[in-house]
């Protein structure tokens, strides 16, 4: 299936020059497993500005799941996968339920509360900090760092990244237990402390930044009169398809000349997958919200569990909760960078 203008659309890249956007579902899946199309930002055109283009540090500067390919990526993924498997996510669910229940109870102290102002940020952060072993008295600092990333200011983003690094280090302090300590014991031999801190930072950063906006759209739909009876799992899948946390994939770059659906891409060509556009055309659940192939999101099971549990806790504890404004009056904003849209406000009457 494809969308108008597909299956490969040539667009102007933020850093200058052409970028090739894949808009066809089957072709996108082929691209996401093609070894000739790499993730390392070192492959980006030399003229690109890192900030303007939304590039991570290169794999040489900072090895990570999102910048490595091949055997190095596979080894790092093997260290992460058991910690975030479907079985581990299911085991975490009771504690996630407690967190959701407690935070909603705090929010319900006000007759009308804007759940997009703090709740949707604090909920996934609390889950992540709890599981990773970050002290829970650091949640306020973590939440402020999240807002700094969304500010679109390089200085604020730099401060936020520094805070995330400190939080990662705190999860590895002597005596701390959690997934961060488990990851320390499973990463490949020779992994530096700096790299380990960055891996934990990535779990915190990506896990919050993606689940936060998804939770807002999910709550809005769960409180919409016409969707109250939709099973939680179905609602989560549908919301993620229609409002993917990342509307576009992270940058990929051809390492040699590649032909995609009759379009020839020279070596070094930037490639994006139009996740949101493809999701709008898919109705069988086979969307790309969490990617596909070797770089399929390792946190997918945890994110889906968080979102499903949130719907269940809302329905169980607040069956009469409702939006304080019509669903059609809710507005979205698109922060700087490659992140997806989020609700500007979500006013809710939580009636226990």
């Amino acid at each position: 299936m494809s969308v108008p203008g597909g299956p490969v659309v040539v667009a102007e890249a933020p850093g200058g020059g052409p970028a090739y956007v894949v808009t066809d579902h089957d072709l996108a899946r082929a691209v996401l497993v093609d070894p000739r199309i790499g993730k390392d930002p070192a492959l980006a055109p030399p003229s690109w500005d890192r900030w303007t283009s939304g590039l991570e540090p290169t794999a040489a500067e900072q090895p990570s799941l999102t910048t490595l390919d091949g055997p190095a990526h596979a080894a790092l993924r093997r260290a992460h996968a058991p910690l975030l498997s479907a079985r581990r996510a299911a085991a975490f669910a009771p504690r996630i339920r407690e967190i959701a229940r407690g935070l909603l109870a705090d929010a319900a102290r006000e007759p009308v509360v804007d759940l997009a102002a703090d709740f949707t940020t604090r909920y996934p952060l609390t889950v992540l900090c709890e599981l990773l072993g970050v002290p829970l008295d650091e949640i306020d600092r973590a939440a402020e760092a999240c807002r700094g990333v969304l500010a679109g200011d390089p200085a604020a983003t730099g401060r936020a990244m520094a805070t995330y690094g400190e939080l990662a280090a705190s999860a590895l302090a002597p005596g701390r237990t959690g997934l961060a300590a488990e990851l320390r014991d499973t990463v490949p031999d020779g992994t530096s402390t700096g790299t380990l801190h960055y891996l934990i930072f990535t779990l915190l950063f990506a896990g919050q930044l993606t689940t936060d906006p998804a939770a807002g759209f999910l709550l809005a739909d769960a409180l919409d009169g016409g969707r109250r009876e939709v099973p939680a799992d179905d609602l989560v899948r549908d919301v993620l398809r229609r409002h993917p946390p990342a509307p576009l994939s992270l940058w990929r770059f051809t390492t040699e000349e590649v032909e995609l659906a009759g379009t020839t891409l020279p070596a070094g060509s930037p490639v994006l997958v139009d996740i949101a556009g493809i999701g709008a055309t898919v109705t069988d659940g086979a969307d790309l919200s969490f990617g596909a192939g070797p770089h399929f999101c390792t946190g997918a099971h945890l994110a889906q569990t968080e979102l499903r549990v949130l719907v269940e806790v809302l329905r169980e504890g607040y069956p009469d909760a409702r939006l304080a404004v019509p669903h059609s009056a809710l507005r979205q904003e698109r922060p700087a960078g490659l992140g997806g849209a989020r609700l500007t406000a979500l006013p809710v009457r939580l009636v226990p």
Side-chain angles (χ1 to χ4, degrees), residues 3 24 66 89 97 148 174 196 199 216 237 241 283 345 349:
V3 297
D24 174 85
T66 53
R97 183 176 298 274
L196 180 58
L199 297 176
R237 281 192 294 270
R241 177 183 62 80
T283 58
R349 295 185 186 276

Side-chain angles (χ1 to χ4, degrees), residues 62-149:
Q62 198 66 79
S64 73
L65 284 172
T66 53
T67 60
L68 290 170
D69 285 302
H73 173 265
L76 197 55
R77 189 175 181 86
R78 282 195 297 271
H80 283 76
L83 311 183
L84 297 166
S85 66
R87 179 178 296 181
R88 290 298 293 272
F92 296 146
R95 177 57 186 140
I96 295 173
R97 183 176 298 274
E98 291 177 9
I99 291 170
R101 189 179 293 119
L103 291 176
L104 281 174
D106 288 343
R109 293 173 183 172
E110 299 293 331
V112 176
V113 59
D114 178 5
L115 293 180
D118 185 69
F119 175 85
T120 60
T121 296
R122 192 170 296 269
Y123 171 57
L125 264 182
T126 304
V127 171
L128 288 163
C129 288
E130 171 93 6
L131 299 185
L132 286 168
V134 175
L136 294 186
D137 59 8
E138 296 278 21
I139 296 294
D140 286 340
R141 283 185 71 212
E144 188 60 32
C146 294
R147 297 183 185 101
V149 171

Side-chain angles (χ1 to χ4, degrees), residues 46-322:
S47 61
W48 277 19
D49 172 76
R50 178 177 290 179
W51 171 260
T52 303
S53 302
L55 293 175
E56 297 177 81
T58 67
E61 294 170 321
Q62 198 66 79
S64 73
L65 284 172
T66 53
T67 60
L68 290 170
D69 285 302
H73 173 265
L76 197 55
R77 189 175 181 86
R78 282 195 297 271
H80 283 76
L83 311 183
L84 297 166
S85 66
R87 179 178 296 181
R88 290 298 293 272
F92 296 146
R95 177 57 186 140
I96 295 173
R97 183 176 298 274
E98 291 177 9
I99 291 170
R101 189 179 293 119
L103 291 176
L104 281 174
D106 288 343
R109 293 173 183 172
E110 299 293 331
V112 176
V113 59
D114 178 5
L115 293 180
D118 185 69
F119 175 85
T120 60
T121 296
R122 192 170 296 269
Y123 171 57
L125 264 182
T126 304
V127 171
L128 288 163
C129 288
E130 171 93 6
L131 299 185
L132 286 168
V134 175
L136 294 186
D137 59 8
E138 296 278 21
I139 296 294
D140 286 340
R141 283 185 71 212
E144 188 60 32
C146 294
R147 297 183 185 101
V149 171
L150 294 174
D153 170 42
T157 298
R159 291 191 297 270
M161 298 300 188
T163 298
Y164 274 122
E166 293 166 4
L167 295 174
S170 71
L172 293 169
R176 300 298 304 175
T177 60
L179 295 187
E182 291 186 47
L183 184 62
R184 176 188 57 208
D185 296 336
T186 57
V187 291
D189 292 342
T191 300
S192 69
T193 300
T195 294
L196 180 58
H197 286 184
Y198 188 79
L199 297 176
I200 297 167
F201 145 76
T202 301
L203 292 173
L204 268 173
F205 174 68
Q208 187 282 326
L209 196 66
T210 54
T211 309
D212 178 345
F217 288 114
L218 180 67
L219 287 167
D221 275 25
L223 292 167
D224 188 17
R227 314 212 74 196
R228 286 180 179 269
E229 303 304 319
V230 177
D233 281 332
D234 293 345
L235 190 63
V236 169
R237 281 192 294 270
D238 184 56
V239 167
L240 288 172
R241 177 183 62 80
R242 291 185 294 109
H243 304 285
L248 297 167
S249 66
L250 294 176
W251 288 111
R252 285 167 165 78
F253 306 94
T254 56
T255 58
E256 60 184 75
E257 184 176 281
V258 174
E259 182 174 316
L260 296 178
T263 300
T264 300
L265 283 61
S269 295
V271 180
L272 290 171
V273 171
D274 181 10
I275 295 172
I278 291 171
T281 71
V282 174
T283 58
D284 59 3
D287 66 284
L288 299 170
S289 299
F290 294 103
H295 287 277
F296 180 81
C297 176
T298 55
H301 297 301
L302 177 59
Q304 290 169 310
T305 298
E306 289 178 67
L307 295 170
R308 173 181 55 77
V309 165
L310 179 57
V311 174
E312 292 172 349
V313 169
L314 178 72
R315 288 174 169 174
E316 292 164 4
Y318 304 89
D320 296 321
R322 59 189 185 278

